Structure formats: C-alpha cells, structure tokens
Amino acid sequence: MKKLLFILLACVFVAVSCSDDRITPEDEPETPVGGKDDDDGKEEEEKPAPLLRVEGRYLKDATGKIVNLHGFVQTYSPFFNNNAWNNYNVSGCLSYNKRMIDEILGAGWKMNFVRLHMDPYWSTTPGSQGRYEGHEYFEEARFRKYLDEVFVPMAEYAASKGLFVVMRPPGVCPEKIAVNDDYNEYLNLVWGIVSQHKAIKNNPRIMFELANEPIQIRGTDGVYGASGQACFDQLKLFFQSTVDIIRAHADNIIWVPGLGYQSQYAGFANNPVTGGNIGYAIHVYPGWFNSGQGYENFQRGWDEQVKPAADIAPIMVTEMDWAPEKYNSSWGKSFTGTVGDDGFGANFKYIVDNAGNVSWLLFTDCHKLAEFKNVPGTPGAYTFLNDPEACPWPVYHWFKEYAEGTTKNSKIASLAIQGADNGVEMLTGSDRYLIVKATFEDGTTELVTAKATFSSTAPTVIDVKGNGRVVALKDGTATVTATYQGPLGDSKQATVALTSTTFPFAEGVFNPSIWETGTFDFASRTLITGSYGFGGWKYTNGVNLSGYKYLIAELGNDNQCQAQLRLFDENNYWSPAAEYPFGSSRRVVVELDKMYKSKDGTQVKLNASHIYILGFWSHGGKPIVISRVYLTDTQ
C-alpha cells in the first residue's frame, strides 16, 4: 500500500526538472566505490570507541548493559516534510528537519534514535518518468553531493542531540529481487559510498538499515517467494554481498530486513547474515503477524515469523503505528486495546517487552509529534494526538517509562494468572500463552510474565516452554505454577488448572457455526444450530483418535431436533461423514476402528488417525446440551 503512494508522489517530485542542480561529470568525486577510502591511503585514524555493540541476541552499551532504543523517522522530501520547502532547497530542508528534531524533543518525547531516510528525491534524475523506487533513475553523483549536503548534516545534527541514527537507502525494494540483480548492485553501490564516508564510517552513533521492504526473492529453486528456506538462503547471499562491502570499510551496526515487506524472518535462524554487529529490522502493522485476532494469535504470529531471528540477534522495528481509521493519520488502522484482549498497541508493547531485545519507533509524521501536548483529551472529543486508542498518547508515556525506568520499592501483594479463576481448557496439540500480573503493596501493577518462572505438575501432558507459553501434549490435566520474585527479594506464586482435551468447550475452539449460523452458551454448553446446521470442532492438521477404542458423546437433555454426532476424515464439511443419531437416547458410543461413511453408494471405512471435523448436526432451532465428549478404552 505504501509503495503505490511513493510511486504516485514520485511522479510529482521528479516532474520538477532542475537543470541548474544537475551535476556535471567534472563535479563527481574521483574515488570510485571499492577504490581507496577517504584517507587516500593515509594511515587509518584511530576508531572511536563503540557506544553500542551487538552481543548475542542483544544490543549492549560499553558497560555490558542491554539497550533497547526508541525513536521516530525523518524522510527528506517536500511531501513528507509537510511541503515546508521545495525545489531541492538544501537550506530549507535542513532548517525544517532540524527544527522538527528540536520541537519533538522539546515536546518531551523521550527519543534516542531516528531512522533517517536518504530519500530518492535527491538522487533521482529530475524529470524522470515511470516507476520511482530509488535505483531506476539513480545518479551516483547527485547522491554523493546530497549525502554531503543533506544526509550527513542531518545525521550529525541528530547525533549532537544525543540521538542514534539509522540510515536507510533511497527508496524501496522492487516487488521481486534476485542475487546479483540490478537492485542488489544498486544497494552495494549505495552502501559502498556511505560506508566509506569519513563522517559516517565507524561513527558510533550511525547505523545502517540495508533496504526497505523486500517482498519476494528468487529462491534456490528458481521460484520467487517470501518464505521458505529456499528464499532465505538466497536472501542471505543477497545481503551478505552488501555487508561484505560495508565491512571492508566500517564496523557500524547493520540492520538486515526480511521478506514479505519485512515481516518474514524464520529462515535467518538457519542461515544468518554474518559479519558482526548485525541485527534484523522488521515492520509491524495492524493485521500483520495475525494481529487483530486477539493477543494469542498475534503472539503466535510473532513467534512463527520473528522469534527465530530474535533468538539469535537483536531486533529493531523500523516502521510501526496504529490509530482508529477516522483520524486518517496512520498507516495502521486499529486501536490500543488491552494486553491479552483485542487491540493492537498494548499487545504489541507486551510482546516486544517480553522479547527483551527489541528496539522500536513510532512512524507518525514529525510535524504531528512536534505538536504533541501532554494534556489529556476529553472523551467524545478526542484528537489523534490525545486519544488513548491512537498511538501517540500511549507511546509518549511508554517511552517516558522506558527512559526513566521503574525501580519498585514495594513488596508483592499478590500474583495472578489472567483468566485462571475457573481453570483453562486447551485443545490437545495446541498451545496458549499465560499472562502473569503482579500487584504490589503500593497499589501499582506490572505484567511480569517474562520475569516469572513456570513449572507443570504433569509436563508430559502440559509442558511449559517459557514466557508463559504452555503446550498441550496429550489429553489429561495439570497444574501450572508461576513464581515471581519481586525487586525486594520477596516472591509470590500463582497457579492455573489446565485441561488438555481433544474436545474443549472454549471460545475460539468450539465453533457453533461450521455450517449455518448457530449459537453456543459456553457456561451451560448449550448448542443451537442453524437450520440443518452443524457445530463442533475443526482440526487444521487433523486429530489422531486411533489410540483409543471408543469415542463417547453424552447429552444433558432430551433430543428434540434429530441431533447426530458426525465425524469427517476429510478437511471438507461436504465430504461424507460417519453419522451417529442420538434418537431417543442421550448417549452415543462410537467404536473408532469400525467407523464407516457412505461414499458413492458404498460403505467406506473412516480413518480414525486423521479426523478433521467432529461435532453435532441437527434440524436446528432447539437446544442441545452437551454434557461431555471423551475418549476411552471402556464403555
């Protein structure tokens, strides 16, 4: 979506032809990329001591303390600068953007880094037409000129204000890239120039983000894609060439992007980019990583797509925002919400805080950040900047908390696991995430999941994997205990009773509307299907029932709607099923090795080792109270 806007805007930018501003060959620097560096063969100056370094999965300072940065973005082109200057006006650009930094910090934002986009407005041939991403009409001489006149002065100004700088190359990736293609060569050229610049190389406050939003790459199998090891093996080669060029000149920290608009990183765990001082740069928006479907789905998406890289290197979120759509002031459309429930912002913060090694920024326009006032809004009359459900208000206060730290001087009053009061029922083979909350004697609270330790009374049934993630391995029960030691050395425990079952009656698992719209009261376990409807369980990967002799379903009321228990061994509701009418009974017994379905007029044995759909069919409109459904070896 962003690429389309960039392309449209570019047509406006590049249409302004400034012949006086075009660089002639005699203006070009003599030193080619890959040749002698800026010292022209002179003895290398002593490198400044690094302020930050990558050590394992963390970014650390000189004392060994873990550091996570928090910041904002600047893009140097008229449109993204609120049209405060135009016509390649260097002094106007510098004046505006320096003022934005001053006003943002003056507004009280506790920022310590800025993502600096070396916008292609400055390096693209003026008057060019067509696709505008950064490399198609790139002029090396223009880039060198404005690196000196715009990008380096802005980086130095930001650094003078105590900010770290993450430089991003001009433009965004084309939809498809490949090792050694023209875009790979373009990035190598750009970073060869940047990494040799005397004001940038080894500068302890300047870092490099290698590219913006790669989408698909041609994999080792010749197929373009955004996931899978064949693609990541090529992506490693693609960016390794760039890293090698940088490392020939400079030790600056490097942030490597992933595929799928910087959402896919799993393959880096098997084949990471090497060269030292390397982390991974990701983007996170509402809807990405399964966000918008509740906390657990968001966490699960993060664990699948980012965690493999976060387990081996630090992560930096270089684009992220959210707000209700009515404000039209953010890329991401969502609301803050609460941890463990719906909403994007609060769950995002909880996930990255628990990861422990994630730096992140707010993608909101600079002029909006500069206008921020730390004055609460009025319910019913909120604006983008003071609505607690839009990103600026909560992020302003979160950044303040990060900067000031929260050293508690109070004992723990109580510890609780969210939603544990009545126990938790899980689908066998699934996982879920426990959230642990500490309440202190001074009345304050804190989510301490990442600081707690966990144990299970039956780890072969319910296992605990860390950060509150529990996995249901087989049918049975277990009690999981969370233990948290507070800042004063005192500790508390909280427990939750977990049941692992193939047939959980839990929201998001039991579906009353597999066919036609039905309802289900979870407290009383009362199902009312739609007309000739079906409700029950769907198993994405199939469930194996072959280890048991019987499946038994029992009702808690008389059958008034021709109810049947049905099982499907195909992942299609319209495939034939094994059918078991309740008739006048409240109980049906299924012999699992003697299940049959009617297929093309023939009785075909059902395969109990992979059941995809199981549940209750009825004429509809009448209650079916489900007492229990269970597996057993005896009737």
Side-chain angles (χ1 to χ4, degrees), residues 55-362:
E55 185 176 311
R57 65 186 296 269
Y58 296 104
L59 198 61
K60 292 187 176 181
D61 66 15
T63 69
K65 179 183 177 183
I66 295 171
V67 175
N68 291 316
L69 301 173
H70 304 100
F72 63 107
V73 300
Q74 281 197 321
T75 292
Y76 307 117
S77 62
F79 178 84
F80 290 102
N81 286 177
N82 213 23
N83 292 311
W85 55 274
N86 56 33
N87 202 32
Y88 303 96
N89 182 343
V90 170
S91 62
C93 174
L94 295 179
S95 175
Y96 175 82
N97 284 287
K98 289 178 180 180
R99 177 164 59 85
M100 286 298 101
I101 291 176
D102 292 344
E103 292 183 3
I104 288 169
L105 298 179
W109 287 95
K110 299 299 182 182
M111 310 284 204
N112 52 18
F113 88 95
V114 58
R115 185 197 195 210
L116 186 159
H117 182 194
M118 297 182 285
D119 194 279
Y121 173 84
W122 300 98
S123 54
T124 292
T125 302
S128 301
Q129 300 295 319
R131 183 182 181 276
Y132 174 82
E133 298 288 9
H135 73 293
E136 290 84 355
Y137 302 103
F138 176 78
E139 288 189 15
E140 180 181 341
R142 289 181 64 83
F143 179 71
R144 288 181 179 272
K145 171 180 172 63
Y146 291 115
L147 178 64
D148 284 335
E149 295 183 12
V150 177
F151 307 138
V152 166
M154 283 308 309
E156 291 178 330
Y157 189 78
S160 74
K161 298 296 181 176
L163 299 171
F164 289 92
V165 177
V166 178
M167 302 186 84
R168 162 194 158 186
V172 298
C173 291
E175 182 180 356
K176 295 180 178 180
I177 58 175
V179 174
N180 297 326
D181 69 359
D182 58 350
Y183 197 75
N184 202 176
E185 293 176 354
Y186 162 75
L187 291 179
N188 291 346
L189 173 62
V190 167
W191 288 117
I193 295 169
V194 173
S195 63
Q196 292 184 80
H197 195 287
K198 61 184 178 182
I200 297 175
K201 68 176 183 178
N202 301 320
N203 187 314
R205 285 201 170 270
I206 296 180
M207 310 177 196
F208 306 149
E209 182 181 3
L210 296 187
N212 186 72
E213 295 197 340
I215 306 171
Q216 297 184 55
I217 192 168
R218 187 170 61 209
T220 54
D221 55 4
V223 177
Y224 283 93
S227 62
Q229 200 59 47
C231 291
F232 276 98
D233 288 346
Q234 289 297 93
L235 192 65
K236 181 260 172 65
L237 294 177
F238 186 95
F239 284 123
Q240 191 66 58
S241 65
T242 309
V243 170
D244 290 346
I245 287 172
I246 292 171
R247 286 292 175 257
H249 309 292
D251 294 327
N252 304 61
I253 290 171
I254 293 171
W255 301 98
V256 179
L259 293 168
Y261 298 95
Q262 290 183 238
S263 70
Q264 299 286 343
Y265 292 81
F268 282 128
N270 301 319
N271 199 358
V273 177
T274 60
N277 265 346
I278 290 174
Y280 294 94
I282 76 171
H283 291 176
V284 189
Y285 286 107
W288 295 26
F289 310 107
N290 302 320
S291 59
Q293 303 175 44
Y295 156 67
E296 292 205 38
N297 285 316
F298 192 175
Q299 181 73 68
R300 196 168 287 112
W302 174 277
D303 286 354
E304 291 172 356
Q305 296 170 234
V306 179
K307 188 176 183 295
D311 284 345
I312 62 171
I315 301 297
M316 175 175 277
V317 180
T318 55
E319 289 190 23
M320 189 284 306
D321 68 4
W322 77 90
E325 189 170 3
K326 64 182 180 181
Y327 293 119
N328 194 30
S329 294
S330 62
W331 292 103
K333 312 303 181 188
S334 188
F335 57 99
T336 305
T338 56
V339 174
D341 207 336
D342 292 332
F344 174 82
N347 287 323
F348 165 80
K349 179 180 183 293
Y350 177 73
I351 288 170
V352 299
D353 285 353
N354 279 355
N357 66 338
V358 180
S359 298
W360 58 280
L361 55 67
L362 188 58

Side-chain angles (χ1 to χ4, degrees), residues 491-550:
S491 66
K492 292 284 186 182
Q493 291 186 330
T495 63
V496 57
L498 294 167
T499 299
S500 174
T501 173
T502 308
F503 315 108
F505 294 94
E507 291 190 56
V509 181
F510 185 91
N511 181 359
S513 305
I514 292 177
W515 178 249
E516 295 295 355
T517 302
T519 63
F520 189 71
D521 184 279
F522 289 91
S524 64
R525 294 186 180 178
T526 300
L527 169 68
I528 300 177
T529 75
S531 180
Y532 302 100
F534 184 90
W537 300 272
K538 295 186 73 173
Y539 306 96
T540 303
N541 300 313
V543 63
N544 185 358
L545 308 182
S546 63
Y548 296 88
K549 290 183 178 180
Y550 303 104

